[in-house]
Amino acid sequence: MSGTVAVLLCSNLIGPAKACIVTLPIIGVVTFGAGNLFFPISYIFGDVMTEVYGYARARRAIWAGFAAMIFATTMSAIIVSMPASPTSDYNKVLQPALETVFGNTWRIVVASMLAFWVGDFVNSFVMAKMKVWTEGRMLWTRTIGSTVCGQSIDSLLFYPVAFYGILDNATLGSLMVFNVLFKIGVEVAFTPLTYLVVNGLKRAEGVDTFDTDISFSPFSLKDEGEARKLD
């Protein structure tokens, strides 16, 4: 949970302020938000939490991350809007920098929180359901499958809400497609590490949770799921 919240806050506060470019073979130069380099890690944490501890525990982590984003956004708005002391030369440099980095428009803030909330719940829901369907086998199918669903929803919500009318439709579409593919690629690349962490946690905790006959409502905070004891 701590790792999820930390990655989420850093990606949303630090990453969106910088646009980066990378030259890819065949494709050419691609522009993307720096936060996308690390944001997919939050989905990997979500996959591990859902796989080992179940949907209910992952649901709590999602709400914790959502609450942390609201607090960070509120704190940023208050600090940026407070009058800076005119007697401090450092404030003359700091205040414009704070406004540039943390003075996000309301559309980006709303888009970020909405996309995270919906995308993470979709990711955990698909992960939990596929685990029951596969009877706990083929972990890679549900880590990648849940990421495809969650990240697609995330990008489909974030970019139109944040940038529709600001960017042309062609650019908006290319950004959405690139970011979905990039995030899925990160999930695929981290699959061996995910296996290692999941198997290590299951052995250490002695449990393997299957989400059967539970409420998948995002608004419930009950601790549910069938935790099967491992030999």
Side-chain angles (χ1 to χ4, degrees):
M1 182 182 292
S2 299
T4 299
V5 173
V7 172
L8 179 65
L9 289 179
C10 290
S11 296
N12 282 278
L13 292 177
I14 301 173
K18 184 174 182 178
C20 300
I21 61 170
V22 63
T23 303
L24 300 176
I26 302 176
I27 299 177
V29 177
V30 177
T31 303
F32 63 97
N36 289 315
L37 288 173
F38 298 97
F39 180 73
I41 298 176
S42 68
Y43 273 72
I44 296 172
F45 283 144
D47 288 346
V48 171
M49 192 173 299
T50 305
E51 173 68 21
V52 179
Y53 303 105
Y55 176 85
R57 299 289 180 87
R59 178 169 52 197
R60 292 180 181 179
I62 295 170
W63 277 112
F66 189 73
M69 286 181 65
I70 293 176
F71 174 77
T73 301
T74 303
M75 178 179 173
S76 299
I78 292 174
I79 291 178
V80 169
S81 63
M82 290 182 68
S85 173
T87 61
S88 173
D89 291 335
Y90 182 60
N91 274 346
K92 297 177 182 178
V93 178
L94 181 63
Q95 181 64 25
L98 289 176
E99 292 174 358
T100 300
V101 176
F102 295 105
N104 293 327
T105 66
W106 68 269
R107 286 183 60 177
I108 294 177
V109 171
V110 170
S112 181
M113 291 194 291
L114 176 65
F116 158 75
W117 191 82
V118 177
D120 259 45
F121 271 118
V122 169
N123 181 78
S124 292
F125 174 81
V126 173
M127 182 86 180
K129 283 293 189 180
M130 287 187 68
K131 184 174 184 179
V132 175
W133 296 338
T134 60
E135 298 181 345
R137 300 188 298 268
M138 298 182 294
L139 172 60
W140 65 272
T141 60
R142 50 189 180 274
T143 58
I144 297 175
S146 63
T147 298
V148 170
C149 296
Q151 295 285 15
S152 296
I153 293 294
D154 184 288
S155 294
L156 285 173
L157 285 174
F158 176 76
Y159 286 100
V161 174
F163 300 113
Y164 181 76
I166 298 175
L167 301 176
D168 62 85
N169 292 340
T171 301
L172 200 62
S174 64
L175 280 173
M176 291 167 59
V177 171
F178 172 79
N179 281 284
V180 170
L181 294 177
F182 175 79
K183 292 171 182 177
I184 294 172
V186 171
E187 180 71 53
V188 172
F190 274 81
T191 295
L193 180 59
T194 302
Y195 264 87
L196 183 65
V197 173
V198 164
N199 291 333
L201 282 174
K202 286 181 179 179
R203 287 193 300 268
E205 301 284 6
V207 296
D208 189 10
T209 305
F210 286 77
D211 292 298
T212 56
D213 299 322
I214 74 164
S215 171
F216 282 96
S217 169
F219 302 104
S220 173
L221 294 179
K222 292 182 179 179
D223 193 359
E224 303 172 298
E226 178 190 353
R228 300 181 184 178
K229 295 293 184 181
L230 299 179
D231 296 330

